[in-house]
Amino acid sequence: MSAPMSAPASAGTTHAAVVRSFDAPPRYEAVPLPEPSAEHEITVDVLAAGLHPRVRSAADGSHYTSEGTLPLVPGIDGVGRAPDGELLYFVLPGTAFGSMAERTVADRRRALVLPAGTDPIAVAAGMNPGMSSWVALRRRAGLRPGQDVLVLGATGGAGRLAVQIARALGAGRVIGAGRDAERLKLLPGLGADETVSLEGADGDVARRLGAAAADVDVVLDYLWGRPAQQAMPALARARADRAEPLAWIQIGAVAGADIALPSALLRAANLRIMGSGQGSVGAAAILAELPELAERISAGDLAVDPLAMPLAEVERAWSAPVEPGRRVVLTP
């Protein structure tokens, strides 16, 4: 696919958010619209596209899949209207032309038909952050009903959804841990049985984590960095039976890309560390999980908090202050 270049709006062009430098936010421009080039590709009219952390990291070149291609149109998923009128949630592969455009090219094999009346903005806001914990629990952890879950980083948008999803998938106890005291107070209303503050001295944080979550079966880790480095030994040492498996699912690295992991910790407890994300879970497995997740979001079973902003104001949207837990959604 050729890289998008500036062009006057016409039948063969579309307006889009265009990244021309990894050091600057996208700008609203008219660019050539790629033609469908394979059997299952179609042009869709985009109704809503979420500004997810994954989208930001692609747009600044920091995501681990980034190949440094510029210019690019960001956006990895969205809700759009197919030529036959069907409402679709679609996921895009790694591409230089994403979903933050008035029109884009999608693969029907990576798209899900949504029921009439579905709120495009809610689905665009919730599917990507919800997918992170939904796929982790179903495909990586293999969560069984009654097992306990700790969400490390539960005050962010994906973490708040993870609390709800763990509860919806039958978790016994759900513990939410995070730094934002006000957001922690909201987690019991979303399904958390207990909350843990990650503020304070390392020893105090470790004691709180050990007391609240010693015998959890699964940790959904959106933070990594220092919080993970505090939590791993705290949980391992406090477990009633260290031989019981503890599945540590690494999803995000908001608090840092690296940790110091003592080798003795892996011998002293049945700690199983694995990642969940693009590459560690196949596309077919991810796509198989989308229908039920979309249904839960569409039915309002999972609370999402979108902030809709016009695509034409993408520069402002990129730097607009957003409350924790909210997700910017761009709408043409």
Side-chain angles (χ1 to χ4, degrees), residues 18-28 59 314-319:
V18 182
V19 177
R20 296 191 175 274
S21 168
F22 289 133
D23 298 322
R27 299 183 63 182
Y28 183 70
V314 62
E315 286 184 81
R316 183 172 71 89
W318 216 260
S319 57

Side-chain angles (χ1 to χ4, degrees), residues 20-189:
R20 296 191 175 274
S21 168
F22 289 133
D23 298 322
R27 299 183 63 182
Y28 183 70
E29 300 179 14
V31 296
L33 176 67
E35 291 288 333
S37 59
E39 177 185 356
H40 300 284
E41 289 187 344
I42 58 171
T43 299
V44 297
D45 294 323
V46 181
L47 302 178
L51 179 47
H52 315 301
R54 166 69 176 83
V55 175
R56 291 183 183 275
S57 63
D60 66 21
S62 65
H63 195 262
Y64 64 86
T65 63
S66 177
E67 297 180 352
T69 301
L70 287 175
L72 66 86
V73 173
I76 58 171
D77 69 345
V79 177
R81 187 75 64 182
D84 61 7
E86 287 186 316
L87 186 65
L88 302 177
Y89 169 73
F90 60 89
V91 179
L92 298 177
T95 175
F97 202 102
S99 58
M100 291 187 169
E102 292 173 330
R103 291 181 291 161
T104 193
V105 175
D107 188 327
R108 286 300 300 253
R109 295 169 300 179
R110 301 170 65 95
L112 171 69
V113 177
L114 298 171
T118 296
D119 181 353
I121 293 174
V123 171
M127 285 294 282
N128 177 267
M131 201 182 306
S132 67
S133 56
W134 185 279
V135 171
L137 290 171
R138 300 255 290 199
R139 295 282 173 163
R140 298 298 278 161
L143 182 73
R144 299 190 305 274
Q147 289 188 311
D148 297 341
V149 176
L150 167 65
V151 180
L152 201 59
T155 53
R160 284 161 51 89
L161 270 172
V163 168
Q164 300 178 63
I165 286 169
R167 176 63 67 208
L169 293 179
R173 293 179 66 244
V174 180
I175 299 103
R179 294 189 183 280
D180 190 315
E182 293 305 311
R183 290 282 161 180
L184 280 174
K185 292 178 183 176
L186 301 177
L187 295 182

